Amino acid sequence: MRKVAVVGVGHTDFTAGSSKTQLELMSEASMDAIISSNLKPEDIQAIFCGNVLGDFSEGQGMIQSYLADNIGCFNVPASRFEGACASATMAIRDAFLWVASGFYDIVLVGGVEKATTMGTPLATRTFAMFHDSRYEYPAGFTFPAFFALLTHLYADKYNLPLEKLKEQMAQVTVQSHQYGLNNPHAQFRKEVTVEKVLNSFMVSTPLQLLDCCPFSDGAAAVVLASEEAAKKLTDKPVYIAGVGQASSGKLSSQYKALPRLKAREVSVKQAYDMAGVKPEDIDVCELHDCFSIASIIAAESLGFSEFGKAGELWEKEQTKIGGKIPINISGGLKSKGHPIGATGASQVYEITRQLRGELVDQSRQVEGAKVGLVDTLGGDGVIVNIVLRAE
Amino acid sequence: MRKVAVVGVGHTDFTAGSSKTQLELMSEASMDAIISSNLKPEDIQAIFCGNVLGDFSEGQGMIQSYLADNIGCFNVPASRFEGACASATMAIRDAFLWVASGFYDIVLVGGVEKATTMGTPLATRTFAMFHDSRYEYPAGFTFPAFFALLTHLYADKYNLPLEKLKEQMAQVTVQSHQYGLNNPHAQFRKEVTVEKVLNSFMVSTPLQLLDCCPFSDGAAAVVLASEEAAKKLTDKPVYIAGVGQASSGKLSSQYKALPRLKAREVSVKQAYDMAGVKPEDIDVCELHDCFSIASIIAAESLGFSEFGKAGELWEKEQTKIGGKIPINISGGLKSKGHPIGATGASQVYEITRQLRGELVDQSRQVEGAKVGLVDTLGGDGVIVNIVLRAE
């Protein structure tokens, strides 16, 4: 296997109610990634694109094919990946192999979504299709309900008073908004307080509004290149050192493990082992904080904390810059926004910029960061992890 | 790159109005493929699944994850591919690389669709989302309209009287139904005559009902294995000798080339070159006959005929068993049926069985066939080609 580097990145603003189409958003992010890689569209040998709801949100399927046409990558192979919120990370892991194997030297990969077109209540119902929609959705399992259940299970399993856990969860939200304030692409650039989180309206007991990330519109893209090609294109290549992916299946199949998502433990082990790193080697992490409790659960399976204790990381500010493991310095899904099929590419964008040391101006730089981790959760339990390393 | 073989195959009946869910259909085809490979679900290291309309047809996205759970492939990576009608072939090409590169030894790949749930008129409108849905669909470009346009352009470009072309197209349909009669999985097992085709009702001038394939429900799957693994599992491995893929983009971007689809010429060249074969080396071909004119257009770009002359292949029965290039001996999409996201896997299923010599009992065996070609068209111009070889 050859080494594969991220050589350029692109990212649109994440917003609600974008007036642009998916194709426009994805073209914008893609061209930014291509131009910042010192490349032209005709240099791209293949396209990999994450997208979930394109047919529902604007009646356009197979976005990748129109993307290839729109940005001038004529007749290249272009594939769409769907793995719910993990779609773009799934596409990046796949694109990685096409370069690592020697099949292609330079490829474009990213994701896009217009998730706000439907309005929030309908979006939640629509997105429940990426749960088990035959048996579990009719029983009330939308995603807020799923994570509400996990919150109760977590409090119970680890003997943590629910009020205590909710305070820790509120701290997750507060930190995300604090960093998101300085992310120019973020959807919600405003600070919140623990009090404000705990006084926001109840969505699905015990999850309140500010425990929940929004749906968003936006796109992100990266260009991957072989080591040899990368060295000609950039003096700051960031290598994909390890990848992992696993699917847990429906909620009821996971009842013995919950609130842990076993797929994450399987997936991140693959990524760590391939990269030859351990959790303590990770300098900065973007993880899938679709709900505040999701951050706490993820941090444990990723190896950053004992099980039942991750809330303390946020409580003790160990997840901030300067802490033990800086997490979601982008603002995370909570503040930056969550355009479903784009989220994984946005995470890789963020970690790449951290490892290149480019976030000083935004007061969000984790100084000296060399190894970063991306963690994306799709649906009930599809996990994709990517370890990135600056060398 | 390692050699990659198809070691087992599975196929449900293709029907209209199936009472089974997508998950049930895909599980059935998958378990058939696994069992016929002398394997168990726990031997499968990764899953690749084509699916297009799952969220529309039954409100279930991310089918691959529930498939992994349902058949007992716990915590494996499972990815969904969408490239309209070419989704499953796209998944197979991708799965091929994961084995060829040495990353996995044994993987499951296939596709599934329930395309009849919506009823035909709504299905045609729904499927137009896999056209350019912003500019071209509102101008009337559903898929029947697209192929009607190509029929007119073809007749005009090659100075063929439309009535003559329509007779050749009718012969395509007649042959498909003749072979489909003997395919136990086929949706329409009845013979038709040229007269019957030409008297069927007009769908989109000049395409009549029997020029058009149906939408269908069904699934197909194959197990791919490295050469080393394959030799332990079967004494009839069929190798993936070459793969190709290309995207043309929207119709209006292709106006200079039409009725030729340039993406097919790009894609099949990749597949032929990788396999080290020429069109005359192909012993049997399954090509994408979504409309009768599509077969004629495809046969030319695949190199089986001069441009403007492929109708004569069917006219002179050169596409039948014993002819120059046996095409769609399965009955093709026209008679066998077209469950969109499953079609490519069904084509690979058919060619694999041809190359293994297993269709004697169905009176559909191309005797001594050693090299086969799969051709799948998705939307306006996504093409995936696969060359298979028995050794």
Side-chain angles (χ1 to χ4, degrees), chain B residues 73-96:
Chain B
C73 297
F74 301 117
N75 291 320
V76 302
S79 299
R80 174 185 162 200
F81 293 75
E82 188 272 301
C85 307
S87 298
T89 339
M90 191 174 276
I92 292 171
R93 174 178 172 271
D94 202 271
F96 157 79

Side-chain angles (χ1 to χ4, degrees), chain B residues 112-297:
Chain B
V112 61
E113 207 72 57
K114 286 197 72 170
T116 71
T117 319
M118 294 162 279
T120 303
L122 197 52
T124 293
R125 190 274 165 263
T126 302
F127 203 62
M129 296 190 299
F130 301 87
H131 238 296
D132 173 83
S133 67
R134 194 165 189 220
Y135 300 113
E136 296 186 343
Y137 166 69
F141 280 106
T142 60
F143 283 95
F146 173 35
F147 283 93
L149 172 78
L150 293 188
T151 310
H152 285 298
L153 288 173
Y154 187 98
D156 188 59
K157 178 164 183 177
Y158 300 117
N159 291 313
L160 205 60
L162 189 60
E163 291 312 303
K164 174 68 181 164
L165 178 57
K166 287 202 57 180
E167 264 183 41
Q168 291 176 340
M169 288 158 55
Q171 278 152 347
V172 173
T173 296
V174 169
Q175 180 189 307
S176 293
H177 276 272
Q178 198 183 336
Y179 285 119
L181 198 62
N182 293 331
N183 183 342
H185 292 308
Q187 181 171 356
F188 294 119
R189 298 180 68 185
K190 57 180 177 188
E191 287 196 87
V192 299
T193 59
V194 167
E195 193 183 15
K196 198 166 173 189
V197 177
L198 296 175
N199 286 324
S200 61
F201 77 78
M202 192 59 74
V203 172
S204 182
T205 318
L207 297 181
Q208 294 175 258
L209 182 66
L210 293 180
D211 289 304
C212 311
C213 81
F215 282 128
S216 317
D217 302 339
V222 301
V223 171
L224 303 185
S226 64
E227 184 178 18
E228 191 183 340
K231 285 184 170 167
K232 291 178 193 156
L233 296 169
T234 174
D235 52 6
K236 287 184 186 175
V238 169
Y239 291 97
I240 295 182
V243 296
Q245 185 181 327
S247 278
S248 275
K250 65 187 182 299
L251 190 55
S252 53
S253 301
Q254 302 181 61
Y255 75 97
K256 284 186 184 168
L258 298 178
R260 285 162 65 171
L261 301 178
K262 282 282 178 186
R264 178 174 273 122
E265 295 167 33
V266 171
S267 166
V268 80
K269 183 175 188 310
Q270 293 168 13
Y272 283 159
D273 287 352
M274 192 190 297
V277 298
K278 298 209 163 93
E280 51 269 33
D281 298 321
I282 304 298
D283 298 316
V284 58
C285 173
E286 287 284 308
L287 59 74
H288 198 81
D289 60 321
C290 45
F291 297 89
S292 54
I293 186 68
S295 294
I296 292 173
I297 289 172

Side-chain angles (χ1 to χ4, degrees), chain B residues 285-351:
Chain B
C285 173
E286 287 284 308
L287 59 74
H288 198 81
D289 60 321
C290 45
F291 297 89
S292 54
I293 186 68
S295 294
I296 292 173
I297 289 172
E300 296 171 1
S301 287
L302 299 176
F304 300 140
S305 158
E306 281 177 56
F307 288 97
K309 301 280 192 191
E312 295 175 17
L313 287 175
W314 274 269
E315 210 173 26
K316 295 175 179 166
E317 305 198 336
Q318 291 299 311
T319 49
K320 288 191 171 178
I321 293 170
K324 181 183 161 195
I325 174 66
I327 289 176
N328 291 353
I329 308 304
S330 67
L333 281 58
K334 177 68 195 81
S335 164
K336 186 183 58 179
H338 181 27
I340 308 169
T343 281
S346 170
Q347 292 174 310
V348 170
Y349 169 96
E350 170 76 8
I351 294 293

Side-chain angles (χ1 to χ4, degrees), chain A residues 41 62 146 174 179 181 202 221 232 234 262 269 363 389:
Chain A
M62 205 168 62
F146 172 35
V174 168
Y179 284 119
L181 198 62
M202 192 59 74
K232 292 176 193 157
T234 175
K262 282 282 179 188
K269 183 175 188 311
S363 308
R389 182 156 47 202

Side-chain angles (χ1 to χ4, degrees), chain A residues 273-301:
Chain A
D273 287 352
M274 192 190 298
V277 298
K278 297 212 163 92
E280 52 269 32
D281 299 320
I282 303 299
D283 298 316
V284 57
C285 173
E286 287 285 308
L287 59 73
H288 198 83
D289 61 320
C290 46
F291 297 90
S292 54
I293 186 69
S295 295
I296 291 172
I297 289 172
E300 296 171 0
S301 286

